[in-house]
C-alpha cells in the first residue's frame, strides 16, 4: 500500500509539519469502502453511547438501582472518551493503525455483550468505560485515517461521510433503542448493538488497508500541538461554537414547547426533522469544505447564531420557527466535520494528537455548554438561553473569520 511509504517535510510553517516529522503520503486512489466501514464504526459506537438514554427506566429496575445512578452509564462513557482521545495517539504510536481501529471495534462488541449480561451496576459501568475508550480513540483517529484512505482533495468528503455516522446515530439510536427495549427487553437491545458491531468488524477486516504507524506522538506532543502557531486560538473558537450549541441543545425541548408551541406528537416529529437536517448538513459540509475551509468554519456558527436569535427574538410564527430550527440542525451538521478537517490541515504530522484535542474540546464543551445553559435558564428562562447562546455563536464566527488560520489544503500533499 502507498500508505506505507514515509515522507518528511523540511520546514515548520503554520499548518505544515515540524522539522523531520513524518507525514503519511497522499494515496493515489480513494478507498471508499474503507471510509464507509469507518462510518459504520462511528454509527455503532454512538448508538451504543446513546442507548442508556432510551433504556434508563428498565435498566434501573432490573439492576435494582435508581435512575439517577443508571444514568451515570452515559457520564462514565463520556469521561473515558475524553481520556482515550488524549492518550490514544501516544499509547498506540507503534501499532498499525488498522489494528488499532479493529481493536476499538472489538471493544465495542465486548462492551455491548457484557452490558447485556451484567448482573450489577459495577460490571455495567466497567463495560461502559470500555465503550468510552473505543469511542474517544476511534473519533480522535477518524480524520487522520481519512488522510491515508483518500487523496487530499477528497479528505473533506471522506470525513463528512465518516462523521455522518454520528448524525444517523443521533436520529435512530434513541427511538430504535426504546422500540427494541419495549419489544424484547433492554438486554436484547444491547445484544443487537453487539451484533451490529460484529457486522462492522467483518466489513472493516475486508476493507481497511494496512497503515504503518508514522506517529511520533508522546504525551508532551499534545502541549506542542497546542503551541503551534494558530492552533490554540482555533481551539478557543471551536470551544465557543460547541458551548453555544450545547447550551441551546440542552433546552431544545422547552424551547419548542414554549416558543414554537408544538404538542407532544409534533415535538417528536420536529426533533426527527432536526436530526435529518443535521445529517444533510454533515454530508453537504464535505462539499462546502472542498470550496473553502474558512467559509465553512465561519458560516456554520453564524447560521446557528442567527437561528438562535430568531427563535428568541422574532415573531416568526410557527412555520418560521420550524424553518429556524431546521436551519440550526443543518448548520450544526457541518461543525464536527469542519473542525476535524481544520485540525488535520493545521498539524498533518500530528493529526491524531490534534484529533484527540478536538475530542476533549468537544466533550468539555458539551459539559460546559449544558452547565452554562442551566445557569442562564434558571436566571432568565429559555428565551434568555437562546439569546445569550446566539450572541456567543455570532461572536465565535467573528473570531474565526478574523483570527483563525484556515490552510487551503493538507500540508505536504
Amino acid at each position: 500500500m502507498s500508505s506505507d511509504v514515509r515522507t518528511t517535510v523540511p520546514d515548520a510553517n503554520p499548518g505544515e509539519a515540524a522539522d523531520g516529522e513524518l507525514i503519511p503520503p497522499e494515496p493515489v486512489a480513494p478507498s471508499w469502502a474503507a471510509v464507509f466501514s469507518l462510518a459504520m464504526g462511528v454509527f455503532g459506537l454512538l448508538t451504543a453511547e446513546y442507548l442508556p438514554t432510551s433504556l434508563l427506566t428498565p435498566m434501573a429496575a432490573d439492576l435494582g438501582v435508581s435512575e439517577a445512578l443508571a444514568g451515570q452509564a452515559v457520564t462514565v462513557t463520556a469521561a473515558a472518551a475524553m481520556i482515550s482521545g488524549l492518550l490514544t495517539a501516544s499509547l498506540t504510536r507503534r501499532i498499525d493503525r488498522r489494528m488499532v481501529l479493529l481493536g476499538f471495534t472489538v471493544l465495542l462488541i465486548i462492551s455491548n455483550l457484557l452490558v447485556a449480561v451484567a448482573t450489577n451496576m459495577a460490571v455495567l459501568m466497567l463495560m461502559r468505560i470500555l465503550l468510552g475508550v473505543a469511542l474517544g480513540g476511534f473519533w480522535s483517529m477518524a480524520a487522520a485515517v481519512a488522510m491515508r484512505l483518500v487523496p487530499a482533495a477528497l479528505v473533506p468528503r471522506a470525513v463528512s461521510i465518516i462523521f455522518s455516522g454520528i448524525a444517523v446515530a443521533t436520529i435512530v439510536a434513541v427511538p430504535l433503542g426504546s422500540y427494541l427495549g419495549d419489544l424484547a427487553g433492554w438486554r436484547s437491545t444491547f445484544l443487537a448493538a453487539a451484533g451490529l458491531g460484529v457486522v462492522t468488524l467483518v466489513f472493516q477486516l475486508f476493507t481497511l488497508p494496512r497503515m504503518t504507524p508514522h506517529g511520533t506522538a508522546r504525551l508532551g506532543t499534545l502541549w506542542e500541538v497546542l503551541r503551534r502557531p494558530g492552533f490554540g486560538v482555533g481551539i478557543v473558537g471551536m470551544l465557543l461554537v460547541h458551548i453555544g450549541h450545547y447550551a441551546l441543545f440542552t433546552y431544545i425541548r422547552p424551547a419548542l414547547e414554549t416558543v414554537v408551541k408544538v404538542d407532544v406528537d409534533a415535538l417528536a416529529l420536529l426533533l426527527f426533522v432536526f436530526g435529518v437536517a443535521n445529517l444533510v448538513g454533515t454530508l453537504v459540509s464535505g462539499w462546502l469544505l472542498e470550496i473553502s475551509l474558512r467559509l465553512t468554519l465561519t458560516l456554520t456558527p453564524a447560521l446557528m447564531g442567527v437561528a438562535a436569535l430568531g427563535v428568541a427574538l422574532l415573531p416568526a410564527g410557527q412555520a418560521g420557527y420550524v424553518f429556524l430550527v431546521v436551519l440550526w440542525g443543518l448548520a450544526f451538521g457541518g461543525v464536527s466535520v469542519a473542525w476535524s478537517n481544520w485540525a488535520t490541515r493545521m498539524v498533518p504530522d500530528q493529526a491524531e494528537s490534534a484529533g484527540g484535542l478536538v475530542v476533549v474540546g468537544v466533550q468539555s464543551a458539551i459539559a460546559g455548554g449544558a452547565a452554562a445553559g442551566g445557569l442562564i435558564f434558571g436566571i432568565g428562562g429559555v428565551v434568555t438561553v437562546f439569546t445569550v447562546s446566539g450572541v456567543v455563536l455570532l461572536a465565535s464566527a467573528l473570531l474565526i473569520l478574523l483570527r483563525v488560520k484556515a490552510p487551503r489544503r493538507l500540508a505536504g500533499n
Side-chain angles (χ1 to χ4, degrees), residues 4 23-24 28 32 58 60 92 94 117 160 174 180 187 224 240 248 289 330-331 339 348 351 363 392 396:
D4 293 329
I23 300 179
V28 176
W32 290 115
T92 66
R94 302 183 188 280
V117 299
S160 71
V174 173
L180 290 177
R187 295 182 185 274
E224 293 170 6
L240 288 174
L248 294 174
L289 282 163
L330 190 70
W339 285 104
Q363 294 294 330
V392 169
S396 68

Side-chain angles (χ1 to χ4, degrees), residues 344-402:
T344 59
R345 293 192 194 187
M346 287 293 289
V347 283
D349 57 308
Q350 296 293 354
E352 291 178 10
S353 292
L357 289 169
V358 169
V359 171
V360 172
V362 171
Q363 294 294 330
S364 300
I366 292 173
L375 180 63
I376 298 168
F377 184 79
I379 295 172
V382 70
V383 171
T384 306
V385 172
F386 271 63
T387 302
V388 173
S389 296
V391 171
V392 169
L393 286 163
L394 291 178
S396 68
L398 184 62
L399 172 69
I400 293 163
L401 178 65
L402 298 178

Side-chain angles (χ1 to χ4, degrees), residues 77-88:
T77 302
M82 288 179 63
I83 297 171
S84 177
L86 278 178
L87 300 182
T88 292

